[in-house]
């Protein structure tokens, strides 16, 4: 097995390149994916390789071009629509919820929507209240969608393929803080599934359940806890809808203590669903109340010290874990 | 085929077909009203009565490979497109034999074989889909056209603007068909739009655009044909404003406080079916007998559709969770 | 105390009339609120009484007129914006989340947005996949908003006043199935708060926690349970954000068993947050896992038998309660 | 006031004020670039350099009672509107003395006293707010105007369409100011819009609309004055297309692959500050000395602003949860 040293950003780009090469039905469409080189430089170079037809710059019209992705998918294409960031996806939410997620059902099974929508998500770069949302857990409420949150280089590289093979709309959330993550990656890339959660670090003392941008936070906390001889089981959900309940409950049954780490605003975040599932299906396994470390319920402030205070930090996770371990 | 049509000229045959489609739609909906009162049909139901010329005129301009995107007021579009009446009626009844398996109802008729892409109940929500269908056709080098129907109300939505711009910018073969029936529910045209000449508005995006008498099925057919020809000859969207009127309430729950009876009566003078039958009679293309035959044919199609719909099974409740995700076959 | 016999619809209308009479800064704006008489006949007659300036029909432009409500609120008015139904509110979500809910914060406390947005919510009338959403619990995720769900005649009549007095954006969800509810109402109307949950029926055996359109379902279930001598404590949340945690936990501490009834799709619905709060703060009070009775995770089917199967029914609540009581 | 302006004609004074505003904006942003490199300022920062004539020309047309709604590229708008430079700079530093208390940053400048309503970072998101502000003014019988600034990119968004229609339909005094700098990030005008004459597009809604040389501050000022006068005389919106150009990258993270250096250099020949100073020199309204004085005044204002910003306290972390809901006083 050979490996390459790469970044999360390059891994996503490589995945896009592979998809565009492999299937002529695939095309990439979104604001500034082409000439600008992608607003986070993810799609840099793809225009030159695949041309403006398949790497298609759109006007600022989120609703129209997301809906156009749906229509193109209905007509046999395999569009990858990029919404620059999750913050702007609200403008396309009607198309996502009322069309992409429902057409198969409303048509009694006639119309599949094999569409992939990618977007950057998350806070941490002092972008303030309108540019720091973490709404992937919120999107996971919608039946008919699949919600993926690649948190590792491997997943950044490999999740796109099964997402494109899936005949239903898939939303892929890339946390902005991950793009510069560097590391070694197998080449050719390993295959991954988009159905299961992964244990990123095994332990029997406490479950740290997380996904996406807070996986590094949870792993850092696990390191700290290990110095106290508390071995954390770090669950990376990977797919927020449908949830891999078996892996979650399996971890809880081993550890009997849980901290959910979620960058969404606490109330109504995905962490609530995780806690609820545990309370439903593993209540008697719990040796301590479920802890949640989430983002403070405030629009994101610009000032660094305030943003840091609002976001889940490794120390918060450690403190919560200590409370749970008692 | 009607027996009376045997001796007809090409124009006479064409007109007979247009008439047949309009009568099918009219009778279908009249029956639906009865069935709604009898609680066989439920949910929201939006009637097309008065507007039949638009569906009949436009659908004849399309080939089987073209695509259609429609609204919640789409019984007429579906029928004229060739979705079998029995499967539309079964859908109204919520039966699994319905064209959407009973999952959709009146507002969500679908027929993928006929490239009839629904049945969208969010005003303006179908336009982006039409743009995407046309984009796919262009990218795959197919010469199809996508017809997208929507109302005057939809023109106020932001999506209208985004989609007209996108289709014009990318020269996509979308035939935008605005059914301007002068009202969006209870809001009259001049209270929805600062600029009420909708065809002119559309032309400001740089696309060919014109207004058509939507009560005259032959005018609609001619416009539809011309638009489709134009689009097949050189790429790019077209916009048709079909000026029409709904004779009935917006939906089954509308007290029609916003318009006077006299206005409605006046428009009924332009009933598209009456207009065409008069013209055909004048031209010797329609007799009492051939009309009776046509009506009888439609009635029996309708009776059969209702009987089939009634006989159709309900989907088993155990299947509730199907069609949320695609079933791998 | 005199009472009048009235309906939920008339109670809402009376509340609107009172507000328009009491404060000239108040106006009502939305699609077909005027000449049509309101799409569910709620605002019937108000145009005639208050004129087209204050009962203002809008074009189909959800984003613009909701945003215009925000702007008018900033400039000292007290707009009541009606979005015909929650299904169309997605088109205005950017304005609601990125502007209404954040302006106060982004401006460092300078700009309050005293805006009330009313909308009809819910399923049950065979309106199929695009017209049957119950998203009020989903909206409750957003900091900066207050989410109200009047479920009784009293609340339909009286919640608008404190909502208008509140200087922050308030979303008021009226469940379509409630409009025809009839009953007697005190006149002049009692005052209500918009901060606390209410116990609609007291009992010590099980907590049925619900709100809005499923309150009648929960009460019907409570009646059935009572015939078995299971006395249910029925909690009507009334306000979904901020949640009245004290009342929820108080009920759980009395009954030790919980069924949450929520018309939202199960995963990520408000029921999850309720279950999570209980698992966090009252874990050791629970004598049985938290049960949730929610809507099946499927776009709403048109056919009646399928819609009934998808929605929470009193029998489902009874069954869940029996499981919990064991 | 600059001492050099004492002997000036009215026109000379007016021009000096325009010049001063443009120089204030230019120097402010140049300093911001340095401070960004020094990591004193963070987040997204969008520079206005090259476009100063628009802010300076428009803001002088407004009275203190008028309202302004802006975008994320709004340093220039805020400064020209009269938001104190120190409070803008403190905001960039994230200090509690900032005009948004450090909560907003570069993209979210607010000053309610000056009716400066931000600072909106969702493209198109400010337009509905402007419509609402104007609606409130009309309903309360106040003669104000609301100026709403946005870019050429925003014109493609559905909200643009909805808001122009609404403002025209209801005859609301919104001055729509489109800063057409030819690019939306990396997307050139002709790749965003099927119809690139934006003033013409706006006029299709039935409102007075014209294009202005946005590099010529006097042209902008004249257009702004004329528009505001028109609007105060008879109700209804106006639309100005300000044709301008940004000399710098879209934001601090832009490699500018989408345009050539030559194009940028050519536009720099039309630098709004150079144009005005040349004209003023030619007309004997500006000397080396008076320019030096003006520059020195701006520099010291800027130095003070930076010093104040640096000295400004950070908000205590304990206050994190404030300003989610209004505090009852
Ligand atoms: C986005 C959205 N807003 C509101 C509605 C409610 N509604 C359904 S039909 C309608 C009027 C639409 O008028 P128009 O587009 O002219 O079509 P028509 O009904 O006249 O055929 C309204 C307001 C909706 N379905 N979708
Ligand atoms: C709705 C939305 N989509 C995308 C973005 C990302 N974005 C920020 S600025 C910008 C370009 C806007 O161009 P224009 O309106 O011309 O203004 P300019 O930056 O040129 O001043 C884009 C795409 C955004 N902020 N909001
Ligand atoms: Mg209409
Ligand atoms: Mg621009």
């Amino acid at each position: 097995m050979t490996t390459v040293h790469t970044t999360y950003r390059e891994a996503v780009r490589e995945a896009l390149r592979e998809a565009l090469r492999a299937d002529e039905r695939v095309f990439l469409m979104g604001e500034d994916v082409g000439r600008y080189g992608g607003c986070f430089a993810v799609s840099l170079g793809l225009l030159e390789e695949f041309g403006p037809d398949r790497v298609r710059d759109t006007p600022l019209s989120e609703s129209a071009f997301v809906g156009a992705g749906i229509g193109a998918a209905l007509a046999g294409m395999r569009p990858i629509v990029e919404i620059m960031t999750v913050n702007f996806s609200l403008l396309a939410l009607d198309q996502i919820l009322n069309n992409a997620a429902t057409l198969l059902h409303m048509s009694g099974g006639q119309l599949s929507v094999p569409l992939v929508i990618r977007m950057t998500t998350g806070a941490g770069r002092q972008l303030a209240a309108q540019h720091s949302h973490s709404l992937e857990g919120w999107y996971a409420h919608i039946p008919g969608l699949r919600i993926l949150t690649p948190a590792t280089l491997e997943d950044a590289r490999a999740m796109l393929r099964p997402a494109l093979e899936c005949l239903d709309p898939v939303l892929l959330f890339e946390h902005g803080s991950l793009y510069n993550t560097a590391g070694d990656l197998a080449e050719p890339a390993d295959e991954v599934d988009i159905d299961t959660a992964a244990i990123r670090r095994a332990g029997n003392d406490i479950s740290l359940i997380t996904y996406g941008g807070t996986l590094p936070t949870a792993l850092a906390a696990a390191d700290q806890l290990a110095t106290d001889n508390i071995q954390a089981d770090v669950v990376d959900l990977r797919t927020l809808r449908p949830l891999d309940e078996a892996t979650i409950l399996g971890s809880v049954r081993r550890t009997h203590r849980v901290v959910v780490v979620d960058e969404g605003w606490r109330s109504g975040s995905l962490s609530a669903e995780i806690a609820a599932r545990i309370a439903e299906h593993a209540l008697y396994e719990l040796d301590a109340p479920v802890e949640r470390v989430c983002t403070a319920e405030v629009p994101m402030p610009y000032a660094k010290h305030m943003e840091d205070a609002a976001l889940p930090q490794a120390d918060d996770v450690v403190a919560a874990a200590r409370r749970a371990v008692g | 085929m009607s027996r009376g049509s045997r001796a007809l000229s090409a124009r006479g045959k064409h007109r007979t077909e247009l008439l047949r489609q309009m009568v099918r739609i009219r009778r279908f909906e009249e029956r639906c009203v009865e069935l709604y009162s009898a609680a066989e049909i439920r949910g929201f139901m939006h009637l097309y009565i008065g507007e039949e010329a638009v569906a009949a005129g436009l659908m004849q301009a399309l080939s089987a490979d073209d695509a259609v995107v429609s609204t919640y007021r789409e019984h007429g579009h579906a029928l004229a497109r060739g979705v079998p009446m029995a499967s539309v009626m079964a859908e109204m009844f919520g039966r699994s034999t319905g064209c959407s398996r009973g999952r959709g109802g009146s507002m969500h008729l679908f027929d993928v074989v006929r490239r009839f892409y629904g049945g969208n109940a969010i005003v303006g929500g179908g336009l982006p889909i039409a743009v995407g269908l046309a984009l796919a056709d262009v990218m795959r080098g197919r010469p199809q056209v996508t017809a997208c129907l929507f109302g005057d109300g939809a023109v106020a939505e932001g999506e209208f603007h985004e989609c007209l711009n996108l289709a014009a910018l990318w020269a996509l073969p979308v035939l935008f068909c605005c059914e301007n029936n002068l009202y969006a529910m209870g809001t009259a045209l001049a209270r929805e739009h600062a600029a009420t000449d909708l065809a002119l508005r559309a032309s400001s995006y740089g696309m060919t655009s014109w207004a058509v008498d939507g009560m005259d099925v032959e005018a609609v057919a001619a416009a539809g044909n011309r638009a489709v020809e134009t689009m097949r000859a050189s790429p790019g969207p077209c916009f048709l404003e079909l000026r029409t009127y709904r004779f009935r309430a917006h939906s089954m729950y509308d007290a029609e406080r916003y318009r006077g009876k006299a206005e409605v009566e006046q428009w009924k003078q332009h009933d598209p079916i009456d207009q065409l039958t008069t013209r055909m009679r004048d031209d010797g293309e329609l007799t009492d007998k051939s009309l009776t035959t046509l009506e009888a044919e439609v009635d029996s199609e309708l009776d059969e559709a209702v009987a089939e719909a009634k006989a159709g099974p309900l989907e088993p409740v155990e299947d509730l969770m199907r069609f949320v995700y695609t079933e791998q076959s």
Side-chain angles (χ1 to χ4, degrees), chain A, chain B:
Chain A
M1 189 187 80
T2 62
T3 63
V4 289
H5 192 75
T6 189
T7 62
Y8 185 101
R9 172 182 291 104
E10 288 161 4
V12 176
R13 185 187 305 144
E14 208 41 47
L16 291 168
R17 181 176 284 129
E18 177 190 278
L20 285 158
R21 282 189 185 154
D23 185 346
E24 60 170 20
R25 297 172 306 169
V26 172
F27 67 102
L28 175 66
M29 155 164 84
E31 289 159 16
D32 291 308
V33 294
R35 286 160 189 87
Y36 188 92
C39 105
F40 298 99
V42 169
S43 52
L44 191 63
L46 298 181
L47 171 70
E48 291 69 20
E49 182 171 350
F50 301 100
D53 226 47
R54 298 186 66 206
V55 178
R56 192 170 272 268
D57 283 324
T58 65
L60 277 144
S61 307
E62 284 79 3
S63 197
F65 70 74
V66 169
I70 297 170
L74 291 178
M77 301 297 286
R78 290 288 181 276
I80 304 172
V81 173
E82 175 177 312
I83 301 178
M84 209 176 255
T85 75
V86 67
N87 313 287
F88 318 138
S89 71
L90 301 175
L91 291 165
L93 196 51
D94 172 63
Q95 286 298 325
I96 296 172
L97 197 161
N98 276 321
N99 284 343
T102 60
L103 277 165
L104 175 70
H105 180 267
M106 288 194 298
S107 66
Q110 292 178 80
L111 294 179
S112 294
V113 182
L115 168 69
V116 172
I117 303 177
R118 292 174 46 238
M119 41 191 147
T120 302
T121 187
R125 291 162 298 145
Q126 291 191 251
L127 302 183
Q130 293 181 329
H131 275 65
S132 300
H133 300 312
S134 283
L135 297 178
E136 52 279 13
W138 204 49
Y139 273 103
H141 179 55
I142 305 172
L145 302 182
R146 284 179 194 270
I147 309 293
L148 311 186
T149 55
T152 63
L153 290 179
E154 289 71 21
D155 280 349
R157 175 69 183 81
M159 269 186 159
L160 183 64
R161 197 190 306 170
L164 280 166
E165 277 161 9
C166 173
L167 292 175
D168 301 310
V170 174
L171 271 54
L172 240 155
F173 290 88
E174 299 158 14
H175 197 288
S177 68
L178 297 173
Y179 284 128
N180 291 330
T181 312
D184 292 324
L185 196 60
E187 190 63 50
D190 289 336
E191 296 213 353
V192 303
D193 70 75
I194 53 172
D195 305 308
T196 59
I199 310 286
R200 296 295 181 198
R201 174 192 173 120
N204 287 320
D205 300 327
I206 188 156
S207 299
L208 306 182
I209 301 178
T210 192
Y211 65 89
T214 42
L215 176 62
T217 314
L219 289 170
D223 283 346
Q224 280 191 49
L225 289 167
T227 64
D228 269 8
N229 223 1
I230 301 173
Q231 300 304 333
D233 209 43
V234 179
V235 179
D236 173 4
L237 293 169
R238 300 182 68 247
T239 295
L240 307 191
R241 181 177 193 96
L243 271 176
D244 175 6
E245 200 174 272
T247 300
I248 297 168
L249 297 178
S251 177
V252 175
R253 290 200 181 97
R254 274 195 306 281
T255 65
H256 312 291
R257 294 172 159 89
V258 187
V259 181
V260 188
V261 189
D262 183 348
E263 200 183 291
W265 290 304
R266 184 186 186 89
S267 291
S269 64
L270 190 81
S271 71
E273 182 62 29
I274 305 288
R277 299 263 181 123
I278 294 169
E280 283 166 339
H281 302 298
L283 184 70
Y284 303 116
E285 298 284 343
L286 286 176
D287 286 344
V290 174
E291 295 275 347
R292 293 191 284 164
V293 177
C294 302
T295 291
E297 303 195 35
V298 60
M300 195 57 65
Y302 162 68
K304 172 104 175 79
H305 65 299
M306 298 296 262
E307 184 180 44
D308 286 347
L311 289 171
Q313 305 294 345
D315 285 348
D316 304 327
V317 180
V318 169
R322 291 232 168 85
R323 274 196 302 277
V325 172
Chain B
M1 289 296 109
S2 135
R3 255 175 295 159
S5 70
R6 227 180 295 154
L8 284 177
S9 65
R11 189 189 66 186
K13 281 185 190 156
H14 176 63
R15 284 176 163 179
T16 305
E17 258 319 289
L18 293 173
L19 180 61
R20 179 188 308 281
Q21 291 302 349
M22 293 199 291
V23 173
R24 288 177 75 230
I25 297 169
R26 178 77 52 101
R27 298 290 167 266
F28 177 88
E29 291 206 331
E30 287 166 350
R31 190 70 67 90
C32 284
V33 174
E34 290 168 25
L35 291 163
Y36 201 94
S37 305
E40 296 274 12
I41 299 174
R42 298 277 75 188
F44 282 160
M45 186 168 84
H46 305 85
L47 299 180
Y48 197 61
I49 291 175
E51 309 189 26
E52 295 92 342
V54 177
L58 285 176
M59 293 304 156
Q60 63 80 44
L62 303 177
S63 76
D65 288 344
D66 293 328
V68 180
V69 176
S70 178
T71 68
Y72 48 87
R73 195 182 299 288
E74 89 280 35
H75 308 148
H77 308 153
L79 292 173
R81 176 60 182 174
V83 184
M85 193 183 278
S87 82
V88 177
M89 189 57 92
E91 190 58 36
M92 311 289 290
F93 275 68
R95 304 301 161 106
S96 65
T97 42
C99 61
S100 306
R101 223 186 165 88
R103 301 256 171 169
S106 163
M107 301 199 288
H108 303 301
L109 306 176
F110 288 88
D111 187 339
V112 72
V113 173
R114 290 168 187 86
R115 298 202 79 202
F116 190 80
Y117 290 103
N120 199 303
I122 305 296
V123 172
L127 277 79
I129 293 181
V131 169
L133 289 164
L135 173 62
D137 283 338
V138 168
M139 290 186 77
R140 312 203 78 178
R142 294 182 298 217
Q144 280 95 310
V145 156
T146 297
C148 179
L149 297 113
F150 53 91
D152 47 292
V155 172
E157 292 280 5
E159 275 176 333
F160 169 84
H161 169 72
E162 297 187 0
C163 289
L164 262 72
N165 183 46
L166 207 55
L169 184 69
W170 290 354
L172 303 177
V174 182
L175 178 56
F176 292 101
C177 305
C178 177
E179 303 190 294
N180 178 3
N181 61 9
L182 299 180
Y183 290 92
M185 280 186 67
T187 304
L189 192 66
R191 281 196 295 266
E192 328 166 48
H193 298 293
T196 52
D197 186 334
L198 304 183
L200 192 67
R201 292 247 53 241
S203 72
S204 79
Y205 294 88
M207 67 181 74
T208 308
S209 165
W210 72 97
V212 185
D213 178 355
M215 305 305 271
D216 178 347
V217 67
E218 289 185 282
V220 175
N225 292 339
R226 196 180 116 203
V228 170
E229 271 163 38
T230 312
M231 294 166 74
R232 293 212 213 276
S234 88
C238 257
F239 184 99
L240 294 179
E241 178 193 343
L242 294 315
R243 296 195 172 152
T244 182
Y245 198 82
R246 66 171 154 73
F247 294 169
R248 303 290 182 113
H250 167 74
S251 71
M252 304 308 283
Y253 300 104
D254 170 8
E256 292 185 75
R257 291 187 184 82
Y258 48 85
R259 64 180 186 183
K261 286 226 168 73
E263 178 185 303
V264 180
E265 286 313 312
Q266 209 176 340
W267 274 94
K268 284 191 178 165
Q269 303 307 309
H270 304 280
D271 186 313
I273 296 179
D274 293 348
Q275 281 195 64
L276 183 63
T277 51
T278 306
R279 208 178 290 162
M280 288 176 73
R281 278 186 207 274
D282 289 351
D283 293 341
E285 293 162 353
L286 189 72
T287 62
D288 283 351
K289 197 176 143 221
S290 60
L291 181 58
T292 310
T293 309
L294 188 152
E295 292 270 10
E297 285 166 357
V298 169
D299 281 347
S300 72
E301 183 187 11
L302 185 50
D303 288 340
E304 272 170 44
V306 173
E308 270 190 52
K310 281 199 175 147
L314 293 173
E315 217 184 351
V317 168
E318 302 69 55
D319 283 359
L320 176 64
M321 298 308 296
R322 292 183 66 186
F323 314 123
V324 182
Y325 298 101
T326 301
E327 294 169 7
Q328 308 295 342
S329 50

